[in-house]
Amino acid sequence: MKQAKVRLYVEQGLGEGQTIPLVRDQAHYLFGVMRMAVGDPVLVFNGRDGEWYCEISIANKRNGELVCCKQTKPLQMPPDLWLCFAPIKKARTDFIVEKAAEMGAARIVPVATEFTNSERIRQDRLQAHAVEAAEQCGGTYVPEVAELTKLERLLTEWPDGRQLMFCDEAEVGAAKQLAASSAKQWAILIGPEGGFSEGERAKLKSLPFAHVVSLGPRILRADTAAVAAMTIWQQALGDWS
Amino acid sequence: MKQAKVRLYVEQGLGEGQTIPLVRDQAHYLFGVMRMAVGDPVLVFNGRDGEWYCEISIANKRNGELVCCKQTKPLQMPPDLWLCFAPIKKARTDFIVEKAAEMGAARIVPVATEFTNSERIRQDRLQAHAVEAAEQCGGTYVPEVAELTKLERLLTEWPDGRQLMFCDEAEVGAAKQLAASSAKQWAILIGPEGGFSEGERAKLKSLPFAHVVSLGPRILRADTAAVAAMTIWQQALGDWS
C-alpha cells in the first residue's frame, strides 16, 4: 500500500470492492487542490465501518470515484462523553467543536445559559468542523453536534445514570475523586464567558449527578477550559488511561 | 472599592499613592473603547508587585493617569515551567502563546525543528499576546516569549536539572510517573505538524532528563497538544494539585 496523504469522511457503507462516488467538494479537493490522480490512495471512514484504504478509480474535476481495498483500522468508538458548552464568539466556538472531536467526545451539545451571548448557532457548520477534525486526527468516529438547548431543559431531561463534570472557576477542589467513579456515561459542562449565574451555579451544585472540578488558580477562557477538562476526564476515566 | 471591569499590565512599579501614566493605546482603550472616566477603577499588575486597585485620575483621549490605591493580590509566580513549541500557522501560534499564559507557563520558547514550517516569528507580537492573556486570566505574571531557537541548540545548552516532558504521538505510555518527580524545573516540548523527525525523536528519547508522555489514541494538533500537556503537568506537579 502507498502512503495516503488524505483522509476523508464519507456517508456510504465501506467494504472490500465497494465503490464510493465523490461529491463535488471532495472531487475539487482531491483533484483540484491536492492534484491527485487515478490509482492514488485515500483513507476513508464513515463512523461505522472503521478506516479503509481506497484508491481513486475515476478522477474528474466535478466528480470522481474511489474503490475500497482493505480495512486499515477497526471502528474505534470514543468513550461515552458529551461536551456541553455555552457558545461564545464564532472563532472560539469553532475551536471548541474541533477540540471536542480531537479529544474524543462522543457528542457535542451547545447550551444556552443565562450569560450566553449567542442565541443561535450554525449547527451544520459546526458539524462540518467536527468532520474535518475527525479526518485530521485519525479518528474513525465523528461526534454529533446537537441543537442549541437551554441549560434548564438539558438538566430537566437529563438521562438517568449520566454523570456531569462541571468546572466552576470559583471552586477550589481537586479532580482526584473522578477516577474512583464506575459510571461509564459522562458529560462535561463548560460555562460561558462571565461564568454561570448564581442561580445556575446553585442548581448545578445541588444535582446528585454533578461533580465539581477545579481548573487551577487562573481564570481560563471557555475554549482552554474545554480542552483542559477533557484532558482531566480522559486521563481519569477515558481512553487515555 | 468598586467592581473593576478592566485589568491592565503596566511596566511601572506599583505601590500605594504611586501614579501611573498611561500610554496612548491604553488611554484609547480605557476612554475611547470602554468609555471610562476619572474615578473609575482599574486593576493593574506589572509582573513584580502583585495586583493593585487603581483609580483613573486623568482621562484624556491621548493620555491619562491612574493612582494606585490598594493591593488586591500578592505576586503569584507560576511554577517554573517552560512551554517549548514549534511555531505553526499564525493563528495557531498566537493561540498557543495565549494558552501558555493562561495555563501558567513561566516562559514560552519557540523552537525550530526539522519539520518546522515557520522560519521566523514576530516575538513582539507574541509577547503582546502573552500580556493580553495575563490581563484576561487574572494572573499577576506575564511569561517571557523567548527568541526562536533551533532544537539542537536548545538541547545543547539545556540547563542542568531541568526536566523535559516530551509528547510523542507514536508512544503508548502513561503520565503517572510524572507525579513521582521531585524536580522543580520543567519544560514541555510540543512538536510541529508532521511530528519530529526520526533523528530528533531518537535524540530526545536518549536524553537523561526527558520523560515521554502519551496524549491518547488520537493525533492532536499542536495547539490542542499544548493545552493537554500543560493540564497533565499542572495536575501532576504544578499549581493545580
Side-chain angles (χ1 to χ4, degrees):
Chain A
M1 293 196 299
K2 301 172 213 164
Q3 178 84 32
K5 285 183 202 154
V6 170
R7 245 181 135 250
L8 275 190
Y9 172 81
V10 300
E11 312 241 313
Q12 294 90 335
L14 303 174
E16 207 178 314
Q18 178 76 42
T19 56
I20 304 159
L22 296 172
V23 299
R24 191 170 166 160
D25 281 356
Q26 292 169 330
H28 172 72
Y29 178 65
L30 293 185
F31 313 132
V33 180
M34 298 297 289
R35 307 283 172 157
M36 294 170 75
V38 168
D40 284 344
V42 179
L43 294 174
V44 165
F45 65 106
N46 63 2
R48 304 183 304 277
D49 300 320
E51 179 188 84
W52 285 74
Y53 179 93
C54 301
E55 283 181 359
I56 296 169
S57 45
I58 302 176
N60 292 323
K61 276 201 180 165
R62 299 199 177 176
N63 59 62
E65 190 187 78
L66 307 177
V67 177
C68 262
C69 302
K70 192 177 176 332
Q71 196 186 42
T72 43
K73 274 185 198 172
L75 176 64
Q76 290 158 323
M77 290 293 289
D80 189 353
L81 174 68
W82 296 358
L83 181 74
C84 310
F85 75 101
I88 41 178
K89 285 175 204 149
K90 183 177 164 297
R92 290 186 192 268
T93 295
D94 292 353
F95 182 88
I96 289 179
V97 169
E98 173 186 301
K99 281 5 189 176
E102 275 183 57
M103 296 289 299
R107 189 158 180 259
I108 300 169
V109 186
V111 177
T113 68
E114 282 182 44
F115 298 159
T116 301
N117 306 320
S118 314
E119 292 304 315
R120 284 186 194 182
I121 56 160
R122 282 281 308 273
Q123 195 181 357
D124 57 338
R125 215 172 45 79
L126 295 181
Q127 187 65 63
H129 279 291
V131 166
E132 203 179 307
E135 287 175 343
Q136 194 274 332
C137 77
T140 52
Y141 178 82
V142 178
E144 172 213 4
V145 179
E147 283 179 14
L148 184 66
T149 308
K150 287 201 171 163
L151 178 60
E152 200 181 335
R153 186 172 156 205
L154 182 74
L155 296 178
T156 306
E157 297 175 358
W158 196 257
D160 280 352
R162 186 170 296 274
Q163 303 297 301
L164 177 67
M165 172 174 155
F166 145 52
C167 302
D168 185 351
E169 61 197 35
E171 191 72 19
V172 180
K176 284 176 191 156
Q177 39 312 29
L178 273 191
S181 170
S182 61
K184 296 288 175 215
Q185 298 174 322
W186 278 82
I188 290 171
L189 175 61
I190 302 293
E193 288 182 49
F196 294 104
S197 71
E198 276 311 309
E200 286 171 339
R201 181 173 280 146
K203 168 78 179 169
L204 285 164
K205 285 193 181 172
S206 73
L207 298 170
F209 51 85
H211 306 254
V212 184
V213 167
S214 155
L215 300 177
R218 286 158 297 272
I219 299 164
L220 303 185
R221 284 183 188 270
D223 51 356
T224 323
V227 178
M230 287 188 285
T231 302
I232 289 174
W233 190 89
Q234 285 286 18
Q235 271 217 311
L237 292 165
D239 61 13
W240 291 25
S241 54
Chain B
M1 293 196 300
K2 301 173 213 164
Q3 178 83 32
K5 286 184 202 152
V6 170
R7 244 180 137 253
L8 276 190
Y9 172 81
V10 300
E11 310 241 314
Q12 295 90 335
L14 303 174
E16 207 178 315
Q18 178 75 42
T19 55
I20 304 157
L22 296 172
V23 300
R24 191 171 167 157
D25 282 356
Q26 291 169 330
H28 172 72
Y29 178 64
L30 294 187
F31 312 132
V33 179
M34 297 298 289
R35 305 285 173 155
M36 292 169 77
V38 168
D40 284 345
V42 179
L43 295 174
V44 164
F45 66 105
N46 63 2
R48 305 183 302 278
D49 300 320
E51 179 189 83
W52 285 74
Y53 179 93
C54 300
E55 283 179 0
I56 295 170
S57 47
I58 301 175
N60 292 323
K61 275 200 181 163
R62 297 198 178 177
N63 60 64
E65 191 188 75
L66 307 177
V67 177
C68 261
C69 303
K70 191 178 176 340
Q71 197 186 41
T72 42
K73 273 185 198 172
L75 176 64
Q76 291 159 321
M77 291 291 291
D80 190 354
L81 174 68
W82 296 359
L83 181 73
C84 310
F85 75 100
I88 41 178
K89 284 175 205 149
K90 182 178 165 297
R92 290 185 192 268
T93 296
D94 292 352
F95 183 88
I96 289 179
V97 169
E98 172 186 301
K99 280 6 187 175
E102 276 182 58
M103 295 290 299
R107 190 158 180 258
I108 299 168
V109 186
V111 178
T113 68
E114 281 183 47
F115 297 160
T116 300
N117 306 319
S118 315
E119 291 306 314
R120 283 188 193 180
I121 56 159
R122 281 279 309 272
Q123 195 182 354
D124 57 338
R125 214 171 46 78
L126 295 181
Q127 188 65 63
H129 278 293
V131 166
E132 202 179 310
E135 289 174 340
Q136 195 273 332
C137 77
T140 51
Y141 178 82
V142 179
E144 172 213 5
V145 179
E147 283 180 14
L148 185 67
T149 309
K150 286 200 172 163
L151 178 61
E152 199 181 336
R153 186 171 154 206
L154 182 74
L155 296 177
T156 306
E157 297 175 359
W158 196 257
D160 279 352
R162 186 170 296 274
Q163 303 298 300
L164 177 67
M165 172 174 155
F166 146 52
C167 303
D168 185 352
E169 63 196 36
E171 190 72 19
V172 181
K176 283 175 192 157
Q177 39 311 31
L178 273 191
S181 171
S182 61
K184 296 288 175 214
Q185 300 175 319
W186 277 82
I188 290 171
L189 175 61
I190 302 291
E193 289 181 49
F196 294 104
S197 72
E198 276 311 309
E200 286 171 338
R201 180 172 281 146
K203 168 78 179 168
L204 285 164
K205 285 193 183 172
S206 74
L207 298 170
F209 51 85
H211 306 254
V212 184
V213 167
S214 155
L215 299 176
R218 285 160 296 272
I219 299 163
L220 303 186
R221 283 182 188 271
D223 51 357
T224 323
V227 178
M230 287 188 285
T231 302
I232 289 173
W233 190 89
Q234 285 286 17
Q235 272 217 309
L237 292 165
D239 61 12
W240 292 25
S241 54

PDB file of all heavy atoms in Angstrom, chain B residues 210-226:
ATOM      1  N   ALA B 210      14.730  13.542  29.796  1.00  0.00           N
ATOM      2  CA  ALA B 210      13.473  13.540  29.023  1.00  0.00           C
ATOM      3  C   ALA B 210      12.500  12.491  29.542  1.00  0.00           C
ATOM      4  O   ALA B 210      12.893  11.391  29.920  1.00  0.00           O
ATOM      5  CB  ALA B 210      13.768  13.285  27.554  1.00  0.00           C
ATOM      6  N   HIS B 211      11.224  12.849  29.586  1.00  0.00           N
ATOM      7  CA  HIS B 211      10.148  11.968  30.040  1.00  0.00           C
ATOM      8  C   HIS B 211       9.097  11.942  28.939  1.00  0.00           C
ATOM      9  O   HIS B 211       8.520  12.983  28.617  1.00  0.00           O
ATOM     10  CB  HIS B 211       9.521  12.508  31.323  1.00  0.00           C
ATOM     11  CG  HIS B 211      10.520  12.766  32.407  1.00  0.00           C
ATOM     12  ND1 HIS B 211      10.634  11.954  33.509  1.00  0.00           N
ATOM     13  CD2 HIS B 211      11.468  13.730  32.550  1.00  0.00           C
ATOM     14  CE1 HIS B 211      11.613  12.416  34.284  1.00  0.00           C
ATOM     15  NE2 HIS B 211      12.126  13.487  33.726  1.00  0.00           N
ATOM     16  N   VAL B 212       8.835  10.771  28.370  1.00  0.00           N
ATOM     17  CA  VAL B 212       7.868  10.679  27.284  1.00  0.00           C
ATOM     18  C   VAL B 212       6.471  10.471  27.868  1.00  0.00           C
ATOM     19  O   VAL B 212       6.275   9.629  28.738  1.00  0.00           O
ATOM     20  CB  VAL B 212       8.205   9.515  26.331  1.00  0.00           C
ATOM     21  CG1 VAL B 212       7.228   9.511  25.167  1.00  0.00           C
ATOM     22  CG2 VAL B 212       9.626   9.643  25.826  1.00  0.00           C
ATOM     23  N   VAL B 213       5.522  11.263  27.416  1.00  0.00           N
ATOM     24  CA  VAL B 213       4.143  11.167  27.893  1.00  0.00           C
ATOM     25  C   VAL B 213       3.217  11.041  26.686  1.00  0.00           C
ATOM     26  O   VAL B 213       3.417  11.715  25.683  1.00  0.00           O
ATOM     27  CB  VAL B 213       3.791  12.421  28.729  1.00  0.00           C
ATOM     28  CG1 VAL B 213       2.300  12.522  28.977  1.00  0.00           C
ATOM     29  CG2 VAL B 213       4.548  12.394  30.053  1.00  0.00           C
ATOM     30  N   SER B 214       2.223  10.175  26.789  1.00  0.00           N
ATOM     31  CA  SER B 214       1.265   9.999  25.693  1.00  0.00           C
ATOM     32  C   SER B 214       0.057  10.897  25.891  1.00  0.00           C
ATOM     33  O   SER B 214      -0.380  11.154  27.000  1.00  0.00           O
ATOM     34  CB  SER B 214       0.815   8.539  25.647  1.00  0.00           C
ATOM     35  OG  SER B 214      -0.458   8.448  25.038  1.00  0.00           O
ATOM     36  N   LEU B 215      -0.482  11.392  24.787  1.00  0.00           N
ATOM     37  CA  LEU B 215      -1.692  12.214  24.826  1.00  0.00           C
ATOM     38  C   LEU B 215      -2.855  11.478  24.151  1.00  0.00           C
ATOM     39  O   LEU B 215      -3.635  12.077  23.412  1.00  0.00           O
ATOM     40  CB  LEU B 215      -1.431  13.569  24.160  1.00  0.00           C
ATOM     41  CG  LEU B 215      -0.339  14.437  24.798  1.00  0.00           C
ATOM     42  CD1 LEU B 215      -0.120  15.711  23.993  1.00  0.00           C
ATOM     43  CD2 LEU B 215      -0.670  14.802  26.239  1.00  0.00           C
ATOM     44  N   GLY B 216      -2.967  10.186  24.427  1.00  0.00           N
ATOM     45  CA  GLY B 216      -4.137   9.439  23.973  1.00  0.00           C
ATOM     46  C   GLY B 216      -4.035   8.900  22.573  1.00  0.00           C
ATOM     47  O   GLY B 216      -3.040   9.121  21.870  1.00  0.00           O
ATOM     48  N   PRO B 217      -5.094   8.190  22.118  1.00  0.00           N
ATOM     49  CA  PRO B 217      -5.023   7.432  20.869  1.00  0.00           C
ATOM     50  C   PRO B 217      -5.258   8.244  19.602  1.00  0.00           C
ATOM     51  O   PRO B 217      -5.028   7.738  18.509  1.00  0.00           O
ATOM     52  CB  PRO B 217      -6.131   6.386  21.038  1.00  0.00           C
ATOM     53  CG  PRO B 217      -7.118   7.030  21.953  1.00  0.00           C
ATOM     54  CD  PRO B 217      -6.330   7.918  22.871  1.00  0.00           C
ATOM     55  N   ARG B 218      -5.756   9.471  19.708  1.00  0.00           N
ATOM     56  CA  ARG B 218      -5.959  10.289  18.510  1.00  0.00           C
ATOM     57  C   ARG B 218      -4.763  11.236  18.330  1.00  0.00           C
ATOM     58  O   ARG B 218      -4.073  11.567  19.281  1.00  0.00           O
ATOM     59  CB  ARG B 218      -7.268  11.078  18.638  1.00  0.00           C
ATOM     60  CG  ARG B 218      -8.515  10.205  18.432  1.00  0.00           C
ATOM     61  CD  ARG B 218      -9.748  10.840  19.022  1.00  0.00           C
ATOM     62  NE  ARG B 218      -9.610  10.950  20.461  1.00  0.00           N
ATOM     63  CZ  ARG B 218      -9.966   9.997  21.339  1.00  0.00           C
ATOM     64  NH1 ARG B 218     -10.506   8.886  20.922  1.00  0.00           N
ATOM     65  NH2 ARG B 218      -9.759  10.164  22.627  1.00  0.00           N
ATOM     66  N   ILE B 219      -4.535  11.663  17.100  1.00  0.00           N
ATOM     67  CA  ILE B 219      -3.435  12.588  16.828  1.00  0.00           C
ATOM     68  C   ILE B 219      -3.932  13.999  17.098  1.00  0.00           C
ATOM     69  O   ILE B 219      -4.866  14.469  16.449  1.00  0.00           O
ATOM     70  CB  ILE B 219      -2.974  12.469  15.359  1.00  0.00           C
ATOM     71  CG1 ILE B 219      -2.463  11.048  15.085  1.00  0.00           C
ATOM     72  CG2 ILE B 219      -1.885  13.500  15.057  1.00  0.00           C
ATOM     73  CD1 ILE B 219      -2.390  10.718  13.609  1.00  0.00           C
ATOM     74  N   LEU B 220      -3.322  14.685  18.066  1.00  0.00           N
ATOM     75  CA  LEU B 220      -3.772  16.036  18.408  1.00  0.00           C
ATOM     76  C   LEU B 220      -3.012  17.069  17.593  1.00  0.00           C
ATOM     77  O   LEU B 220      -1.820  16.920  17.329  1.00  0.00           O
ATOM     78  CB  LEU B 220      -3.539  16.299  19.895  1.00  0.00           C
ATOM     79  CG  LEU B 220      -4.200  15.327  20.877  1.00  0.00           C
ATOM     80  CD1 LEU B 220      -3.984  15.811  22.307  1.00  0.00           C
ATOM     81  CD2 LEU B 220      -5.688  15.177  20.590  1.00  0.00           C
ATOM     82  N   ARG B 221      -3.687  18.131  17.196  1.00  0.00           N
ATOM     83  CA  ARG B 221      -2.995  19.274  16.625  1.00  0.00           C
ATOM     84  C   ARG B 221      -2.063  19.850  17.690  1.00  0.00           C
ATOM     85  O   ARG B 221      -2.290  19.671  18.887  1.00  0.00           O
ATOM     86  CB  ARG B 221      -3.996  20.354  16.230  1.00  0.00           C
ATOM     87  CG  ARG B 221      -4.746  20.048  14.946  1.00  0.00           C
ATOM     88  CD  ARG B 221      -5.659  21.218  14.643  1.00  0.00           C
ATOM     89  NE  ARG B 221      -6.546  20.949  13.541  1.00  0.00           N
ATOM     90  CZ  ARG B 221      -6.266  21.182  12.261  1.00  0.00           C
ATOM     91  NH1 ARG B 221      -5.094  21.700  11.915  1.00  0.00           N
ATOM     92  NH2 ARG B 221      -7.139  20.920  11.321  1.00  0.00           N
ATOM     93  N   ALA B 222      -1.057  20.610  17.248  1.00  0.00           N
ATOM     94  CA  ALA B 222      -0.064  21.124  18.185  1.00  0.00           C
ATOM     95  C   ALA B 222      -0.703  22.022  19.244  1.00  0.00           C
ATOM     96  O   ALA B 222      -0.308  21.995  20.419  1.00  0.00           O
ATOM     97  CB  ALA B 222       1.020  21.892  17.421  1.00  0.00           C
ATOM     98  N   ASP B 223      -1.704  22.817  18.862  1.00  0.00           N
ATOM     99  CA  ASP B 223      -2.309  23.724  19.848  1.00  0.00           C
ATOM    100  C   ASP B 223      -3.110  22.954  20.891  1.00  0.00           C
ATOM    101  O   ASP B 223      -3.055  23.267  22.092  1.00  0.00           O
ATOM    102  CB  ASP B 223      -3.141  24.824  19.163  1.00  0.00           C
ATOM    103  CG  ASP B 223      -4.144  24.315  18.147  1.00  0.00           C
ATOM    104  OD1 ASP B 223      -4.195  23.100  17.895  1.00  0.00           O
ATOM    105  OD2 ASP B 223      -4.905  25.140  17.622  1.00  0.00           O
ATOM    106  N   THR B 224      -3.806  21.901  20.457  1.00  0.00           N
ATOM    107  CA  THR B 224      -4.525  21.046  21.410  1.00  0.00           C
ATOM    108  C   THR B 224      -3.528  20.344  22.328  1.00  0.00           C
ATOM    109  O   THR B 224      -3.735  20.264  23.553  1.00  0.00           O
ATOM    110  CB  THR B 224      -5.335  19.957  20.666  1.00  0.00           C
ATOM    111  OG1 THR B 224      -5.870  20.500  19.473  1.00  0.00           O
ATOM    112  CG2 THR B 224      -6.427  19.403  21.544  1.00  0.00           C
ATOM    113  N   ALA B 225      -2.467  19.814  21.721  1.00  0.00           N
ATOM    114  CA  ALA B 225      -1.455  19.078  22.496  1.00  0.00           C
ATOM    115  C   ALA B 225      -0.833  19.969  23.561  1.00  0.00           C
ATOM    116  O   ALA B 225      -0.556  19.521  24.683  1.00  0.00           O
ATOM    117  CB  ALA B 225      -0.373  18.534  21.557  1.00  0.00           C
ATOM    118  N   ALA B 226      -0.624  21.254  23.236  1.00  0.00           N
ATOM    119  CA  ALA B 226      -0.011  22.169  24.205  1.00  0.00           C
ATOM    120  C   ALA B 226      -0.903  22.312  25.450  1.00  0.00           C
ATOM    121  O   ALA B 226      -0.426  22.219  26.587  1.00  0.00           O
ATOM    122  CB  ALA B 226       0.241  23.538  23.564  1.00  0.00           C
TER     123      ALA B 226
END
